[in-house]
Amino acid sequence: MKKRIVCFGDSNTWGYDAVTGGRFPDEVRWTGVLQEILGAGYDVIEEGLCGRTTVFEDPLNEGLSGLEYLLPCLMSHSPAAYLVIMLGTNDCKERFSATPKNIADGMKRLIVKARHTEAWSDEPRILVVAPGPIEKECEQSPVAGEMGICSEKSERLAEEYRVCAEEHGCEFLDAGPVVRMNRIDYMHLDAESHKRLASEIAAVIRRRI
């Protein structure tokens, strides 16, 4: 059986293209590139949802708490060999009033829930990815009304996630040095960044599997 890699994330896993307002093609999205890099022995499963948070229920949009969907997601794709979680960008929205530590605690809850499912083909293997920081220009961009003041706390997520991953025996990757945000909304990856991110994630997975 192919090794199943579940990629659990938000619009940057779904593949939102800020230039067109649509979705990058399969071969551009980091999940699609990851599938190509890993090859036929792996099945990369893309579970991205625009607006998804770690644990916060959005008062304006339904069904966006990652905590509520993680269990059925993993069980529906079982047996899973590896879980990649890249969330936190939407948690930085001003309306959630969450600190970077709050957001990392949300990530912790996802890790704990994932570890205690019966979805694994072997032992739980989890990669926590700190998303590339939202740039300050986002707060003056077309999405400013949706995001509010968000860039500073986004920049502080990586260190909080690093500590969280170490405490819970997970792999950790800081996407910040690897990716670049587009020049329209300053919070979604540009096309080239999808390729670079996929390469970094593939390297981590190959070390573990």
Side-chain angles (χ1 to χ4, degrees):
M1 180 181 289
K2 293 181 179 180
K3 297 178 177 65
R4 292 181 176 175
I5 314 297
V6 179
C7 302
F8 193 70
D10 53 28
S11 52
N12 275 318
T13 297
W14 185 83
Y16 180 77
D17 179 1
V19 175
T20 66
R23 193 177 193 180
F24 284 120
D26 292 357
E27 65 272 15
V28 173
R29 299 197 298 272
W30 70 261
T31 48
V33 179
L34 180 63
Q35 178 69 75
E36 182 179 357
I37 294 171
L38 293 177
Y42 293 81
D43 187 9
V44 175
I45 298 165
E46 183 181 77
E47 279 284 357
L49 176 64
C50 296
R52 178 176 283 151
T53 67
T54 57
V55 300
F56 297 109
E57 295 285 358
D58 193 319
L60 302 180
N61 301 288
E62 184 180 352
L64 298 183
S65 168
L67 187 67
E68 297 303 313
Y69 181 63
L70 182 60
L71 175 60
C73 171
L74 287 174
M75 294 306 293
S76 67
H77 296 303
S78 63
Y82 206 94
L83 171 64
V84 180
I85 309 177
M86 187 171 72
L87 286 171
T89 297
N90 293 297
D91 302 57
C92 293
K93 289 176 180 175
E94 189 172 3
R95 65 175 173 266
F96 292 124
S97 301
T99 67
K101 178 63 164 58
N102 295 154
I103 298 169
D105 285 343
M107 178 62 73
K108 172 184 174 180
R109 293 192 68 191
L110 293 178
I111 294 168
V112 171
K113 174 168 275 194
R115 282 192 174 282
H116 288 87
T117 72
E118 299 178 354
W120 300 99
S121 58
D122 192 1
E123 64 178 332
R125 296 182 176 94
I126 301 171
L127 169 61
V128 174
V129 181
I134 301 167
E135 297 183 21
K136 184 68 176 176
E137 290 85 349
C138 176
E139 296 166 7
Q140 305 298 324
S141 80
V143 299
E146 171 66 13
M147 297 301 296
I149 305 303
C150 57
S151 61
E152 182 180 351
K153 68 177 67 176
S154 176
E155 292 172 358
R156 293 162 54 198
L157 280 185
E159 186 53 36
E160 295 285 354
Y161 276 18
R162 185 189 308 277
V163 172
C164 178
E166 290 175 356
E167 288 180 349
H168 294 278
C170 300
E171 301 285 343
F172 172 75
L173 175 65
D174 180 4
V178 178
V179 302
R180 179 179 184 267
M181 301 304 168
N182 71 78
R183 302 295 92 185
I184 296 172
D185 65 20
Y186 298 90
M187 62 172 287
H188 289 101
L189 306 180
D190 63 20
E192 287 301 314
S193 293
H194 278 264
K195 295 178 184 178
R196 294 194 296 271
L197 180 61
S199 179
E200 294 292 327
I201 291 175
V204 175
I205 291 173
R206 282 174 166 164
R207 287 199 300 268
R208 286 296 308 274
I209 300 180

